[in-house]
Amino acid sequence: MRLSILAALVVLPSALLAQAARLTSADSALIGRILVAEDRRDSTDASLAAGLKHADQRIRTIATRAKWRIADSTFATRDSLPALPAPPSYPDPAWRIRFHDLTAKRNDCVALKTALADSAWAVRLRAADLLSVPCATDASILGTLRAWIDALPADASKRTAGGVSWHGAAHAAVALARMKTDDARARVEKLATHKQRQARMY
């Protein structure tokens, strides 16, 4: 409830915002007291009267809403105040959708193999993290994981834009340890003695 009121304060029409003076910390404190009074259904709280007389229309609106909701529990169903615009939406980029979709495909070795070659490294690493023993019979998957480890450069402190440095090798080592222990063991020494701390940690 409090969040919805604060949201109303932020998204009131631009014309109102242009006319309103800059709010102070004292104004914020007053809004807080109004919200608490509304929560307590306390119509005698002095913050309500102060809010109704405030010079800023936004605070008067919040105080008015609080006063009406305290007096009438069905006020939420009325349209006495301006309707709020729809909240902003931030659609996920395509790679993030593919990333999230992988969780439901954790037992689908074909889908995980495809994801190991995704254009986004975040998706590739997520696929490696989801690999398990049933996928150990796929030579292509094992070959990809081995290649990630074998491609680890001596200096893995930097990466190119959109690429990775130590990440591929580290995640591949953990996946191999689950799926094909001998393959992982043969490559552990390279990681255990690597100068990159994260590679040694994994």
Side-chain angles (χ1 to χ4, degrees), residues 2-48:
R2 295 184 186 177
L3 289 178
S4 66
I5 299 176
L6 292 176
L9 175 64
V10 173
V11 298
L12 281 173
S14 57
L16 257 178
L17 294 177
Q19 298 170 4
R22 185 185 180 104
L23 297 180
T24 65
S25 58
D27 295 324
S28 296
L30 174 60
I31 293 170
R33 293 197 301 275
I34 293 172
L35 299 181
V36 170
E38 181 179 345
D39 265 357
R40 294 199 312 256
R41 299 293 189 264
D42 184 0
S43 61
T44 65
D45 195 290
S47 65
L48 298 176

Side-chain angles (χ1 to χ4, degrees), residues 29 52 59 76 81 96 113 122 124 137 140 143 150 158 165 182:
L52 291 170
I59 295 182
L81 296 179
R96 193 178 293 276
K113 178 167 64 173
R124 296 187 210 179
T137 57
S140 177
D150 296 342
K158 298 178 182 178
S165 53
D182 289 343

Side-chain angles (χ1 to χ4, degrees), residues 68-126:
W68 289 345
R69 289 198 72 221
I70 290 171
D72 182 359
S73 62
T74 65
F75 171 71
T77 65
R78 300 181 182 178
D79 58 0
S80 306
L81 296 179
L84 294 176
S89 63
Y90 304 98
D92 281 337
W95 72 263
R96 193 178 293 276
I97 295 173
R98 298 195 302 273
F99 180 99
H100 290 303
D101 285 349
L102 280 179
T103 301
K105 301 174 181 177
R106 63 187 317 132
N107 297 318
D108 185 342
C109 295
V110 174
L112 294 178
K113 178 167 64 173
T114 300
L116 288 175
D118 195 273
S119 59
W121 263 103
V123 178
R124 296 187 210 179
L125 297 178
R126 178 60 175 159

Side-chain angles (χ1 to χ4, degrees), residues 109-191:
C109 295
V110 174
L112 294 178
K113 178 167 64 173
T114 300
L116 288 175
D118 195 273
S119 59
W121 263 103
V123 178
R124 296 187 210 179
L125 297 178
R126 178 60 175 159
D129 292 343
L130 292 174
L131 287 169
S132 56
V133 173
C135 298
T137 57
D138 191 313
S140 177
I141 289 177
L142 296 177
T144 297
L145 297 177
R146 295 188 200 105
W148 287 6
I149 300 174
D150 296 342
L152 179 66
D155 182 1
S157 60
K158 298 178 182 178
R159 65 181 180 86
T160 58
V164 293
S165 53
W166 54 267
H167 310 74
H171 286 255
V174 175
L176 274 181
R178 285 194 303 271
M179 300 165 61
K180 194 85 169 174
T181 307
D182 289 343
D183 278 25
R185 185 179 293 114
R187 288 166 170 80
V188 162
E189 184 176 351
K190 178 176 182 177
L191 297 177

